[in-house]
Amino acid sequence: MNKQIPHSAFPQLLSPLDLGFTQLKNRVLMGSMHTGLEEASDGMARLARYFEDRAKGGVGLIVTGGIAPNRQGWLAPFGAKMSNQSEARKHRIVTRAVHEADGKICMQILHAGRYGMHPMAVAPSALRAPISPIRPWEMSSRLIQATIRDFAKSAALAREAGYDGVEIMGSEGYLINQFIAPRTNKREDEWGGSFENRIRFPLEIMKAVREKAGPDFIVIFRVSMLDLVDEGSNWEEVVALAKGIEAAGATIINTGIGWHEARIPTIATLVPRGAYTWVSQKLREHLSIPLITTNRINTPEKAEEILQQGHADMVSMARPFLADPDFVLKAAEGKSDEINTCIACNQACLDHVFARKETSCLVNPRACHETLLPKLKTTRSQKIAVIGAGPAGLSCSTELAEQGNEVHLFEAGSEIGGQFNLAKRIPGKEEFHETIRYFKKRLQTTGVNLHLDTRADEALLMAGNFDQIVVAAGVSPRTPKLEGIDHPKVLSYLEVISGEKTPGQKVAVMGAGGIGFDTSVFLTHPADQENTKEFYFDEWGIDPEYTNRGGLKSQEIAKTSREIWLLKRSKGKFGDSLGKTTGWAHRLTLKNRGVHMIGGVVYKKVDDEGLHIEVNGKPQVLPVDHVVVCAGQEPLQTLYQTLKDKHPHVSLIGGAREAAELDAKRAIEDGLKTAIAITQNA
């Protein structure tokens, strides 16, 4: 999807930004992401290495994950905070590593407010968030004043710890945002009611931080420019707040989009690239300090375009630096086609954070695990065969080749990518093209010998004198035992998504896992409708004219000519097996498009009448034209079973090893770990 252009086409992105008392070497901000390392026992050393690699990769300024200014501000019990000198000392390993790599880093100060998952959670008003089971305590005036002092103290401690600045988190529905918006501030004292009273809290924090931290310290304030919730801020209030924050001493203003409780996806794959830069462009004319734009910017080409169009002075990219720490360096060297592009899947980053796991990255399992998954150079080059050019095989073969091995990758098909070639055809998942593009380039740069249209069998492999054989043959669709499964009405998801077969107007989808959801999105997406910003705004009710509070408007649901039944055997909520941060959006998409979702289904048979099922003991017939089977997959292990007793070193990885559900995250990680293990044991 990247149109490759030379690095000289990035003059804005790679130009320095003068802040007066200091200068940033380019216009790239590595945005804040919580990693889970902040609370891990060995976390600070690992965090130091993680940030060091990104600083070496050329990013202009790094912002850490959110650090609470006090206990009440914790996101979760015993979360990371900066409230005393002992805590500040622990951060010096991080700031030292970044500075030795010629980088700059700011610490984000984040008070969770009513999003805190602990009994000490506080908020301007005692209103429970719809995404939390905890009702917060209403803050007294005394506690409000103490919290302002805690923000200032935290900033001063950050400076003592060696940070170049702080970012004050005033968006995404956290405490400061809760004071600003009528939705969450129902107070009737000097901290609530009028707009002037509601923004008093952020302005006092900004003033106190500047006074305590000093004039030569970067202070970024993240303003919620588009709340995307009812009773959020209106545009005039956003402008007035931003101007007030500038007057109070901010160095830079960063952009926040959407509250965590908003029912609009803002960073998932289905969000078009750069979909929200219009709002920073709208604000920029009102400010004299630099302004950062954000959300779904994942290539240097897109970032440069945004800066060239005057939408901002700087671009924030967070997850793209999980995917590739050398993002900026590759762009500067004219190698943007070698960037491992973030596909905004959220599966190993945000989904992990919400599950209290350490962050990683689907396309780069080394992210946040740099010290645990070392880059190796072999001392004894081996000749290695890898069978299958899906995600697992691509990951394993390129890593082995980069280590210095002679690698031969065999693929029975005519192209690399495996199941990613299906994923990229799903509307809203076009980013999967990028991962295939990345691996195609990496095969070249690492020197893997690629053999397409070559089915590796026992004879070929045994004759090849390979030291190691890695079987990554992938999966095949599972065919359920059902009367009429061979009926012409029955299609596999492979036939449908590949375009080999076109279902009729009435379709039953058997299976409501990730494949079933993807198939249903594929079948209900309007024909010939690209996933443009205008389509996205209309379908999700986003108002780029900003005429209403929160930037909301009435949704214009995409019309589909098909009637779809999405079925599953189990009872309970649909989409439970999907990622926590994206599953709800996929579920809501299908609901809005009129898909019938039925659980607790017993499948009986398929015949000319349609699909016969039983629900709660009651038989019924769905008069469908076609039934699309999405009943899972079977691992392709035949070759492995044949080889394992005939060759001393055979490994089984990816879907071929475990095919419970298509899992690219596990497959790519499996490939990387296997490559490391092979070289370590050589």
Side-chain angles (χ1 to χ4, degrees):
M1 291 175 66
N2 278 351
K3 180 183 178 183
Q4 292 308 314
I5 49 181
H7 66 286
S8 59
F10 307 135
Q12 291 295 319
L13 188 68
L14 301 177
S15 66
L17 180 62
D18 187 7
L19 301 179
F21 57 88
T22 191
Q23 187 179 80
L24 305 181
K25 58 188 174 185
N26 55 54
R27 306 300 180 101
V28 182
L29 179 84
M30 176 180 166
S32 173
M33 291 175 288
H34 198 77
T35 65
L37 298 179
E38 295 85 355
E39 293 84 17
S41 58
D42 60 344
M44 297 312 285
R46 289 173 59 190
L47 204 60
R49 173 62 185 281
Y50 162 71
F51 284 130
E52 177 189 359
D53 282 2
R54 276 75 191 163
K56 286 180 177 177
V59 65
L61 180 62
I62 295 168
V63 178
T64 71
I67 308 293
N70 53 34
R71 285 189 180 90
Q72 293 99 330
W74 278 338
L75 281 164
F78 307 104
K81 68 180 176 71
M82 179 71 80
S83 61
N84 57 56
Q85 290 184 326
S86 174
E87 291 165 343
R89 282 194 292 272
K90 294 177 182 177
H91 284 251
R92 287 177 184 164
I93 186 175
V94 172
T95 56
R96 188 182 308 117
V98 171
H99 292 151
E100 288 176 356
D102 192 32
K104 284 184 166 63
I105 185 168
C106 292
M107 187 190 82
Q108 187 188 76
I109 308 175
L110 183 153
H111 192 302
R114 71 176 190 164
Y115 286 166
M117 302 296 286
H118 54 83
M120 293 183 289
V122 297
S125 302
L127 301 173
R128 184 180 66 81
I131 59 174
S132 171
I134 295 172
R135 183 179 297 277
W137 299 92
E138 181 172 312
M139 298 173 73
S140 65
S141 292
R142 184 176 178 182
L143 180 57
I144 291 172
Q145 294 284 4
T147 301
I148 293 169
R149 291 193 295 272
D150 287 343
F151 268 89
K153 181 181 179 182
S154 190
L157 287 167
R159 179 165 192 153
E160 192 175 311
Y163 285 102
D164 300 285
V166 293
E167 178 176 77
I168 300 170
M169 183 50 151
S171 65
E172 265 75 6
Y174 292 113
L175 180 72
I176 293 175
N177 214 170
Q178 292 162 23
F179 268 90
I180 296 166
R183 176 184 180 87
T184 42
N185 187 342
K186 305 298 181 183
R187 303 176 71 98
E188 296 179 354
D189 61 4
E190 68 271 29
W191 302 100
S194 69
F195 171 67
E196 289 72 23
N197 284 353
R198 285 186 277 112
I199 65 169
R200 183 180 173 193
F201 185 62
L203 293 180
E204 291 295 324
I205 287 174
M206 183 61 244
K207 291 174 187 175
V209 165
R210 176 53 75 200
E211 182 178 351
K212 195 80 171 178
D216 56 343
F217 192 63
I218 300 171
V219 181
I220 307 168
F221 197 103
R222 191 152 153 184
V223 172
S224 182
M225 295 189 198
L226 195 66
D227 290 339
L228 298 178
V229 292
D230 292 328
E231 294 187 275
S233 296
N234 63 34
W235 177 243
E236 290 73 21
E237 291 173 344
V238 170
V239 173
L241 172 62
K243 292 170 75 172
I245 292 296
E246 177 181 349
T251 314
I252 308 171
I253 287 181
N254 197 359
T255 300
I257 300 294
W259 289 30
H260 287 309
E261 63 202 72
R263 294 292 86 186
I264 295 173
T266 56
I267 58 173
T269 309
L270 61 85
V271 181
R273 291 179 180 176
Y276 289 100
T277 64
W278 60 271
V279 75
S280 56
Q281 179 190 27
K282 193 176 175 72
L283 180 63
R284 192 179 182 217
E285 64 183 88
H286 298 282
L287 301 174
S288 57
I289 59 175
L291 178 63
I292 302 170
T293 195
T294 188
N295 282 51
R296 284 291 285 122
I297 304 164
N298 63 347
T299 69
E301 290 81 9
K302 189 64 180 179
E304 178 68 24
E305 174 190 314
I306 288 164
L307 294 176
Q308 291 277 9
Q309 291 175 345
H311 290 199
D313 302 284
M314 197 170 185
V315 171
S316 173
M317 292 177 276
R319 294 168 300 168
F321 286 100
L322 287 174
D324 197 327
D326 295 323
F327 182 104
V328 177
L329 192 60
K330 288 176 180 177
E333 293 176 348
K335 299 177 180 177
S336 61
D337 60 338
E338 295 183 23
I339 292 173
N340 193 1
T341 305
C342 168
I343 60 174
C345 66
N346 293 351
Q347 291 180 32
C349 50
L350 292 177
D351 285 351
H352 276 209
V353 169
F354 280 98
R356 305 294 299 278
K357 298 178 182 177
E358 292 176 1
T359 289
S360 184
C361 177
L362 182 147
V363 299
N364 176 26
R366 274 200 175 92
C368 299
H369 294 73
E370 289 80 6
T371 60
L372 306 180
L373 298 172
K375 291 186 177 182
L376 305 175
K377 286 295 181 183
T378 185
T379 56
R380 183 177 72 85
S381 180
Q382 301 182 76
K383 184 179 180 183
I384 303 173
V386 179
I387 295 87
L394 290 167
S395 172
C396 189
S397 62
T398 53
E399 187 68 23
L400 285 167
E402 194 164 62
Q403 292 167 355
N405 296 293
E406 178 188 338
V407 181
H408 293 263
L409 176 60
F410 297 94
E411 168 56 45
S414 60
E415 60 182 348
I416 68 167
Q419 298 287 333
F420 269 32
N421 288 308
L422 292 181
K424 72 185 184 183
R425 293 178 59 85
I426 306 300
K429 287 193 173 183
E430 294 85 358
E431 292 289 4
F432 282 77
H433 280 275
E434 297 289 4
T435 305
I436 297 172
R437 182 267 312 154
Y438 165 74
F439 274 117
K440 187 177 294 185
K441 183 67 177 182
R442 194 165 183 231
L443 289 172
Q444 298 171 9
T445 59
T446 58
V448 172
N449 299 284
L450 177 62
H451 307 276
L452 294 174
D453 298 309
T454 304
R455 186 171 296 279
D457 56 17
E458 178 187 353
L460 183 152
L461 295 169
M462 297 305 291
N465 295 316
F466 292 104
D467 299 301
Q468 300 272 351
I469 298 174
V470 181
V471 179
V475 299
S476 63
R478 180 183 295 125
T479 302
K481 294 180 180 179
L482 178 68
E483 183 182 345
I485 196 67
D486 295 325
H487 193 281
K489 285 181 179 287
V490 179
L491 306 174
S492 76
Y493 70 87
L494 279 174
E495 293 174 313
V496 172
I497 297 176
S498 68
E500 182 182 341
K501 300 284 182 67
T502 302
Q505 299 305 105
K506 294 187 176 184
V507 183
V509 177
M510 288 177 57
I515 300 169
F517 266 79
D518 279 352
T519 301
S520 299
V521 169
F522 181 82
L523 292 172
T524 57
H525 193 80
D528 302 321
Q529 172 63 63
E530 292 185 13
N531 191 36
T532 62
K533 284 194 288 188
E534 292 73 23
F535 176 79
Y536 162 71
F537 291 157
D538 287 344
E539 185 157 46
W540 290 98
I542 302 161
D543 178 18
E545 300 300 320
Y546 218 141
T547 54
N548 300 312
R549 279 195 174 276
L552 300 174
K553 69 174 184 177
S554 298
Q555 292 176 266
E556 298 176 28
I557 305 303
K559 291 181 171 59
T560 176
S561 61
R562 287 193 174 97
E563 186 172 11
I564 307 292
W565 287 264
L566 179 59
L567 311 172
K568 65 173 185 170
R569 296 179 187 273
S570 62
K571 295 184 179 180
K573 189 167 67 174
F574 274 71
D576 270 355
S577 64
L578 306 181
K580 186 176 179 63
T581 60
T582 54
W584 65 268
H586 298 311
R587 187 167 55 247
L588 193 53
T589 295
L590 297 185
K591 180 182 176 183
N592 289 342
R593 292 181 183 178
V595 172
H596 310 290
M597 301 185 198
I598 306 175
V601 172
V602 178
Y603 302 111
K604 292 298 185 179
K605 65 177 180 178
V606 180
D607 61 17
D608 290 345
E609 288 185 78
L611 176 61
H612 295 250
I613 62 174
E614 189 176 286
V615 182
N616 297 325
K618 297 180 179 179
Q620 58 179 287
V621 180
L622 301 180
V624 296
D625 301 309
H626 288 98
V627 177
V628 182
V629 178
C630 304
Q633 304 81 35
E634 301 285 355
L636 293 173
Q637 295 187 355
T638 304
L639 182 61
Y640 172 74
Q641 297 298 335
T642 301
L643 293 171
K644 67 177 184 176
D645 295 326
K646 299 181 180 181
H647 193 285
H649 302 293
V650 183
S651 305
L652 183 67
I653 66 171
R657 182 171 64 83
E658 182 181 350
E661 177 67 77
L662 287 183
D663 191 344
K665 178 181 71 172
R666 188 188 70 240
I668 293 175
E669 181 181 11
D670 210 4
L672 174 63
K673 287 182 174 179
T674 298
I676 292 172
I678 286 173
T679 296
Q680 285 177 331
N681 297 327

